[in-house]
Amino acid sequence: MTSQTPHVPTADQIRRAPKVLLHDHLDGGLRPGTIIEIARATGYDGLPETEPDKLGIWFREAADSGSLERYLETFAHTCAVMQTREALFRVAAECAQDLAEDGVVYAEVRYAPEQHLEGGLTLEEVVEAVNEGFREGERRAREAGHRIRVGALLTAMRHAARALEIAELANRYRDSGVVGFDIAGAEAGYPPTRHLDAFEYLKRENNHFTIHAGEAFGLPSIWQALQWCGADRLGHGVRIIDDIEVGDDGEVRLGRLAAYVRDKRVPLELCPTSNLQTGAAASYAEHPIGLLRTLHFRATVNTDNRLMSGTSMSREFEHLVETFGYTLDDMQWFTVNAMKSAFIPFDERLAMINDVIKPGYAELKSEWLFRQTATTSGSASTAG
Ligand SMILES: O=c1[nH]cnc2c1ncn2[C@H]1C[C@H](O)[C@@H](CO)O1
Ligand SMILES: [Zn+2]
């Protein structure tokens, strides 16, 4: 009987389960206490709160605006305290530590180097400081008994005009810590094709990129990202739901674009909580991730901005487990999907799946079985 019962994970098991994160912004994941300390040290006096708990709440509430543009305004404060080598190193190291502590075993963390030049750093110095911070965070995590690998994605801001330069930067550091490229920022009015030269350059270099598309703007943005720009993955891509029809009888019909995304196994970097804040979805229950998982799209679960959303990988999964009744098998499915879609070489992805992810879930499932057996025999003996 127990073997047919789904393994619904506890909060502790969700935290200990190996998780893979493809979409997380470095400037969206700072510890509130770190923001306050760096602001004091560097003389930034624009913070709306100076006590860590209150500042954390402020970010969550300010980001909870229902619009991507207003959500993005909060990054002025995090970027303001990420303008020196020391600050970038610290933020990156703490990011790797926090993710490892949360059970993330592989992460691709993105940031826009062009937003960290106000203190006089060069683009190269920014990338090197962040890379060194990630290595330090990985080392500290190892010391604390956690295993994590972090790769950087370099983002270009879509309203600016530095995408080719940032793409070239990503290509220069591809063998030293940078695994790919991305564009982010306000989507409406800034279509991906504005930066076609950067994407074409990366394709000629056989490099990888993802594009924020289908978050605040719908199908045309996704279509451009895939068919004009050649994106390997979609940042969000949640609005692909607009091309899926579910009839009253439950019959599902995919439009041409949705069919292409599913047939080609295009990875969707879904970020449920972030979508609730920017208005892309009304509730967890109504979030397209439920249907996309049922239809076997290459869906992955992500945090987007842990500070602005007050979230973590574990919390995202907690919401999904609570809403959709997901089991350890579902968690493993999302995690393997993410690992398959990472930008590191195939053999390294495979090794992560076979040596870390599958054994990790197998262990949790056997724990679960043990617990069930103990409970059943316990109740049997009481009854008897
Ligand atoms: O969800 C997002 N959509 C578009 N842009 C975003 C999102 N989250 C963060 N950004 C922007 C703000 C950051 O300053 C920038 C680089 O990480 O990327
Ligand atoms: Zn994002």
Side-chain angles (χ1 to χ4, degrees):
M1 189 183 78
T2 38
S3 63
Q4 286 167 9
T5 318
H7 305 87
V8 176
T10 62
D12 176 58
Q13 284 182 316
I14 292 174
R15 191 186 50 75
R16 287 188 291 123
K19 292 173 286 294
V20 170
L21 174 52
L22 300 178
H23 191 132
D24 187 81
H25 291 258
L26 185 66
D27 51 330
L30 289 78
R31 298 176 184 172
T34 297
I35 300 176
I36 291 165
E37 281 179 32
I38 302 177
R40 274 201 196 112
T42 56
Y44 175 64
D45 63 2
L47 289 183
E49 296 285 352
T50 50
E51 196 269 307
D53 285 346
K54 286 188 182 154
L55 186 61
I57 294 168
W58 182 86
F59 272 105
R60 287 201 291 283
E61 289 181 351
D64 222 357
S65 56
S67 117
L68 177 60
E69 284 73 11
R70 300 227 336 256
Y71 177 93
L72 292 175
E73 285 170 15
T74 59
F75 288 81
H77 298 296
T78 53
C79 287
V81 298
M82 294 170 72
Q83 300 298 335
T84 66
R85 211 202 83 78
E86 297 70 28
L88 289 165
F89 177 88
R90 174 175 177 179
V91 169
E94 291 178 354
C95 167
Q97 280 179 281
D98 292 350
L99 295 179
E101 180 76 24
D102 189 42
V104 175
V105 292
Y106 177 83
E108 291 179 2
V109 178
R110 63 190 77 194
Y111 63 98
E114 66 200 65
Q115 298 192 125
H116 305 282
L117 306 177
E118 284 163 23
L121 295 177
T122 62
L123 290 170
E124 286 77 7
E125 285 168 337
V126 171
V127 173
E128 284 164 26
V130 172
N131 281 348
E132 285 165 29
F134 284 149
R135 301 295 79 77
E136 171 65 12
E138 288 170 341
R139 198 189 57 72
R140 289 181 200 162
R142 224 172 13 253
E143 267 179 20
H146 301 294
R147 170 188 176 149
I148 188 167
R149 174 171 173 186
V150 182
L153 298 179
L154 300 192
T155 293
M157 298 309 291
R158 56 206 308 158
H159 60 267
R162 298 186 80 159
L164 181 57
E165 194 184 351
I166 303 302
E168 287 168 348
L169 188 69
N171 204 50
R172 248 187 343 270
Y173 282 89
R174 67 187 298 174
D175 295 319
S176 24
V178 174
V179 298
F181 174 81
D182 162 55
I183 58 166
E187 192 175 0
Y190 300 100
T193 41
R194 256 187 116 229
H195 306 289
L196 204 51
D197 53 350
F199 302 124
E200 286 179 343
Y201 163 78
L202 288 169
K203 277 198 279 186
R204 284 197 302 274
E205 293 295 332
N206 306 301
N207 212 327
H208 311 283
F209 55 93
T210 176
I211 295 181
H212 274 79
E215 177 189 18
F217 203 71
L219 297 176
S221 184
I222 295 179
W223 176 72
Q224 278 199 11
L226 293 177
Q227 314 303 13
W228 283 82
C229 307
D232 297 291
R233 306 194 309 233
L234 293 171
H236 296 280
V238 61
R239 301 247 172 156
I240 197 65
I241 201 74
D242 298 348
D243 202 32
I244 303 177
E245 255 177 49
V246 184
D248 292 339
D249 54 358
E251 197 191 323
V252 176
R253 209 191 62 77
L254 303 191
R256 295 264 188 234
L257 183 59
Y260 180 92
V261 168
R262 185 170 72 163
D263 292 345
K264 289 281 192 176
R265 317 306 298 136
V266 176
L268 302 174
E269 304 164 359
L270 300 170
C271 310
T273 304
S274 167
N275 291 161
L276 301 197
Q277 290 181 293
T278 61
S283 66
Y284 290 106
E286 289 161 89
H287 194 281
I289 194 166
L291 183 60
L292 295 169
R293 194 264 175 271
T294 308
L295 297 177
H296 287 269
F297 277 74
R298 173 73 70 86
T300 69
V301 175
N302 300 274
T303 48
D304 208 10
N305 298 291
R306 285 168 291 122
L307 171 68
M308 287 72 180
S309 295
T311 195
S312 64
M313 277 299 271
S314 293
R315 256 173 243 141
E316 293 298 315
F317 275 113
E318 277 171 34
H319 289 300
L320 298 177
V321 166
E322 196 181 305
T323 309
F324 299 107
Y326 285 156
T327 62
L328 284 171
D329 284 332
D330 293 298
M331 272 192 82
Q332 177 173 337
W333 182 83
F334 281 114
T335 305
V336 169
N337 270 355
M339 199 63 243
K340 283 181 180 169
S341 314
F343 287 158
I344 55 170
F346 172 74
D347 53 342
E348 296 170 28
R349 283 182 264 153
L350 205 60
M352 287 294 292
I353 292 172
N354 289 328
D355 303 343
V356 180
I357 297 169
K358 287 188 175 170
Y361 280 91
E363 197 179 316
L364 289 169
K365 285 178 213 171
S366 71
E367 252 177 36
W368 187 91
L369 205 62
F370 177 76
R371 206 177 64 219
Q372 293 301 302
T373 316
T375 316
T376 317
S377 51
S379 58
S381 65
T382 340

